[in-house]
Amino acid sequence: MSKLLLGSIFSSVLIGLTSVSQSQVLPEVAPPPKSTIPTQTQPSKTPDATPSNSTITTPTQVPEAPSATTPDLTLLSKAVGVFWQSDRTETNSQMIIRGEQQGVKIEMSAQVKTIAQIGNKFQTQLVFTPVGSTPKATYTIVSNGRDVWIYRPDRRQYAKTTFDAFRSGADWLWTGISSSMFLTISAADRQEMLSVLGTDRDIIKSIPPSQYKDLVGSQRQVGGQDFYNYSYNFKAEGFIFDVLVQPQTATVQRIEFNGKVDGMNISLSEQIISRKPQVKISKRTFEFTPPRGVKKVKAIDIELFK
C-alpha cells in the first residue's frame, strides 16, 4: 500500500508541473523598446542573501546540456525527503528569464524571497531587474490558502483573487519554481511520504518505470561544481524541466524550464541562494492588510518591463 502511495505522490508532482506548464508556465514576454535592450549581455546583481553552499553562476552562463542516462532513484528518494522534510520553508533565489526571437534577445533577473507552508500558504517578495539596470517592478504576493493578494507598491494598487485562479494562471511560478513545486502535495501526503521514506530509502525504486519513462538523469557541472541533473521532458507541451541536485547533501540547487512560446525561445531558471526549513511563521505571515491610501483594482498582472 505504501509503495503504491509513494508512486502516486511522485506522479502527482509531475502532474502538477504539467498542469502549470499547460497554463503558460513560461510567461508571455513582449520585447521592451530597443533602447532598453543591452547591446552586450551583462551579469545581473545577485540577491543580498549570502548562502553557505551557494552555487550561483552569472545569468549569462548557460550550462551545457548533459548526456542523459537512467535516473539515480536512490538520490532522488533522498532529495525528495530533504525537499519536503518540513511543512514550511523560506527560500531566497534568483530567477532568470531569457527570450530570443528574430534576432532580438532579452534577459531579465528577478530576486525572489518566499515563505511557504504546505496548505497553499505563501508570502512572496518579488523584484524584477533588467540585466545591467535598476529594479523596474516590485510585487508582494500573499496567500492564506484560499485567497491570494497581489500588491504593487509603486502604483499603490492591490488585487485579490482565489488561490485556484492564481495557480492556474501564468504568474504562479513567480513565487519561485521551487516554492511552487513544494506546494504541490498535501500535508497528509507529505506525512505519509516521509513515513515511508523513513523505513526504506530505496522504496522509490519500486515505482513502475512507466511512471517516470520521460525522466532521465546525468552528471552535470555548473560553476565548477558537480551536480546530478534530473531532466523531465513534457513532450506534449514542448518544455524540458531540469532539477540540479547536490549529490552529497541531496539538496535542490537549481531548477530550469526551457521551451518555445509563440515562436520565441524562452528559458526560465531559478538558482537557489538559501533554503531554510522550520522557519518561524506568525499569524500575519499569510495575511494581507492594504496600506492606507492603496486602491483595490480588478486584477494585477505581473509585468516584467513595466
Side-chain angles (χ1 to χ4, degrees):
M1 184 70 180
S2 296
K3 293 182 179 180
L4 292 175
L5 178 59
L6 183 59
S8 66
I9 293 171
F10 180 71
S11 298
S12 71
V13 174
L14 298 180
I15 291 170
L17 292 169
T18 304
S19 66
V20 172
S21 69
Q22 289 173 337
S23 64
Q24 299 178 357
V25 60
L26 299 174
E28 185 175 343
V29 180
K34 290 185 177 180
S35 59
T36 66
I37 301 177
T39 55
Q40 294 182 343
T41 307
Q42 304 173 23
S44 67
K45 181 180 179 182
T46 55
D48 293 335
T50 302
S52 58
N53 58 346
S54 172
T55 57
I56 299 176
T57 58
T58 59
T60 54
Q61 292 176 322
V62 181
E64 295 182 0
S67 56
T69 62
T70 302
D72 183 340
L73 296 184
T74 298
L75 177 59
L76 179 59
S77 67
K78 293 178 182 177
V80 167
V82 171
F83 192 78
W84 277 287
Q85 64 180 291
S86 173
D87 70 340
R88 63 197 66 184
T89 64
E90 179 182 308
T91 304
N92 287 275
S93 62
Q94 181 182 37
M95 295 180 68
I96 301 292
I97 183 168
R98 299 186 183 90
E100 181 177 358
Q101 186 176 41
Q102 298 178 349
V104 177
K105 297 181 179 181
I106 60 172
E107 185 170 336
M108 178 72 74
S109 170
Q111 280 70 52
V112 186
K113 177 182 179 180
T114 294
I115 299 173
Q117 184 175 29
I118 297 295
N120 302 328
K121 298 178 180 181
F122 63 85
Q123 179 194 113
T124 296
Q125 303 295 328
L126 175 65
V127 180
F128 285 108
T129 306
V131 173
S133 184
T134 55
K136 289 294 184 183
T138 300
Y139 298 85
T140 296
I141 312 170
V142 180
S143 170
N144 63 6
R146 302 178 305 276
D147 300 308
V148 174
W149 294 265
I150 303 174
Y151 171 49
R152 183 156 176 179
D154 62 327
R155 294 181 178 176
R156 299 192 63 75
Q157 294 178 342
Y158 79 96
K160 182 180 179 181
T161 186
T162 65
F163 175 83
D164 289 339
F166 180 77
R167 185 173 182 173
S168 64
D171 295 332
W172 166 235
L173 284 190
W174 289 122
T175 59
I177 306 175
S178 59
S179 294
S180 61
M181 189 167 68
F182 175 75
L183 293 170
T184 57
I185 67 174
S186 68
D189 284 346
R190 172 186 163 273
Q191 289 288 354
E192 179 68 14
M193 177 177 64
L194 294 180
S195 176
V196 171
L197 288 175
T199 58
D200 185 356
R201 279 290 186 180
D202 289 330
I203 199 170
I204 202 168
K205 291 182 178 180
S206 65
I207 298 175
S210 61
Q211 293 192 15
Y212 59 87
K213 60 184 177 64
D214 293 320
L215 178 70
V216 295
S218 60
Q219 301 294 330
R220 183 168 169 184
Q221 191 173 81
V222 179
Q225 297 193 38
D226 295 323
F227 298 95
Y228 193 85
N229 184 84
Y230 292 97
S231 184
Y232 189 86
N233 190 347
F234 293 96
K235 295 179 180 179
E237 294 78 21
F239 297 112
I240 295 178
F241 176 73
D242 292 290
V243 178
L244 278 70
V245 175
Q246 212 287 334
Q248 285 72 40
T249 59
T251 54
V252 174
Q253 294 292 317
R254 182 181 175 92
I255 304 175
E256 301 172 352
F257 272 105
N258 291 280
K260 182 173 287 188
V261 177
D262 296 332
M264 175 178 281
N265 294 317
I266 296 290
S267 172
L268 177 64
S269 65
E270 179 183 26
Q271 181 74 49
I272 296 176
I273 310 303
S274 64
R275 191 171 187 270
K276 305 175 186 176
Q278 301 295 351
V279 63
K280 292 183 179 180
I281 292 175
S282 71
K283 293 182 179 180
R284 298 175 60 88
T285 300
F286 303 120
E287 295 291 341
F288 176 77
T289 302
R292 181 176 298 180
V294 171
K295 180 181 179 182
K296 183 179 181 180
V297 295
K298 184 177 180 180
I300 293 179
D301 294 325
I302 296 178
E303 303 168 318
L304 278 66
F305 296 104
K306 297 180 181 180

